[in-house]
Amino acid sequence: MISFLVVLSATFAVACFQDKFVYSDQESPVKLTSQSVKFLFFNSSGVGEPHAVTDVKYLTNEDYDNRKKTVVFIHGFADYYPGSFMIPLLVQAYSSLGNRNIVAVEWGDLAAAPFYLSAAKNTFPVGKILAKFFNSMVKRKHHSMKMTEIIGFSLGAHVAGIASSFLVSKPKRIVGLDPAEVLFAESPLEYILDKEDAPLVEIIHTSGGFLGFKRPLGHRDFYPNGGLFPQPGCPGDISGLCSHRRAYQYFAEAVKNRGWGFKATKCDSMKNYTSGKCSGCPKLLMSNSNYNPALNGTFFLFTNSQPPFGRK
């Protein structure tokens, strides 16, 4: 595990000093095959193995019900299923809400370590494949994007943003879990997640200015513990991965507990939040379903250093 973290940290360091990849040429550096991107359909209880499909025609009635809300998870760099930490956490969290279609986008071959530059480039074709799949869902399964939420972690957040540009209609909500900043800091908006990609785009920042974006990207940006690394409980987080992963750990717990312990305060800075200058400002749960535009802005909160992360 230690050697993997060292390699991963070195990969990010090298990527930081690479020239920006050229956006005019977005062909995948890894040859795409029919199995490069899989769509994993979990049953609503979250128990058992998912049904992996690459085409809508292979879906069964047990996989999908167009009367239910749909949530889609997209992993990030160096992740894959079944080895993912993120996907099981989010599946468990959303299955506790019940009555949902639960889907994960598995693009592990195209996001494999230590090839971060390739993975970053692959966000574009993967986003297009995701859009093509759900456009087919709309046409053949009468799927409603207005009943769809997309949750993307790190590079997966940008996959969600790219997909939005090619969808026949926008998803209801996109949540970016510490969207990757390495190689994307100065990217045009069409290559990163931003607030034009859905009626509601929410961002959770946990390694801002290092692996993830620090600046606001969505309608609402949440900054647990200031949104920077190291996050509480991540001592010696040289690679930043512990802090980076806190985004999906916090979010999964918030969803599962209906927001308990994750009440955030609208404020313009962590300094003013900490000093109490924003104590009278609006509050919002980090797992909210509130679409009131009056609640848009930047939000701050503290967490515990270990699970349960939510504070009373």
Side-chain angles (χ1 to χ4, degrees), residues 133-248:
F133 185 87
F134 274 90
N135 286 342
S136 181
M137 292 274 287
V138 170
K139 182 177 180 180
R140 299 170 65 174
K141 296 291 185 179
H142 305 291
H143 176 75
S144 172
M145 293 307 296
K146 292 182 180 180
M147 296 172 62
T148 304
E149 295 181 295
I150 304 179
I151 319 295
F153 169 59
S154 192
L155 290 180
H158 300 315
V159 171
I162 292 165
S164 175
S165 300
F166 296 96
L167 286 165
V168 292
S169 60
K170 303 289 187 185
K172 183 178 182 181
R173 178 191 185 204
I174 297 177
V175 179
L177 303 175
D178 211 29
E181 183 180 56
V182 180
L183 294 182
F184 290 89
E186 299 177 12
S187 297
L189 292 181
E190 59 263 36
Y191 298 101
I192 64 172
L193 177 61
D194 72 278
K195 62 183 178 182
E196 301 301 321
D197 292 324
L200 179 60
V201 175
E202 296 183 315
I203 309 294
I204 297 175
H205 302 263
T206 55
S207 68
F210 189 56
L211 299 185
F213 271 88
K214 180 180 179 180
R215 64 178 169 89
L217 296 176
H219 297 97
R220 297 172 187 159
D221 288 70
F222 292 87
Y223 292 86
N225 311 299
L228 305 175
F229 102 105
Q231 286 285 304
C234 292
D237 190 15
I238 299 173
S239 70
L241 287 176
C242 176
S243 299
H244 199 35
R245 290 170 174 166
R246 281 288 195 260
Y248 65 73

Side-chain angles (χ1 to χ4, degrees), residues 89 92-94 96-97 251-260 287:
L89 270 181
Q92 183 184 45
Y94 272 88
S96 71
L97 303 181
F251 184 71
E253 185 181 314
V255 169
K256 188 174 182 180
N257 294 336
R258 312 307 197 266
W260 184 93
S287 65

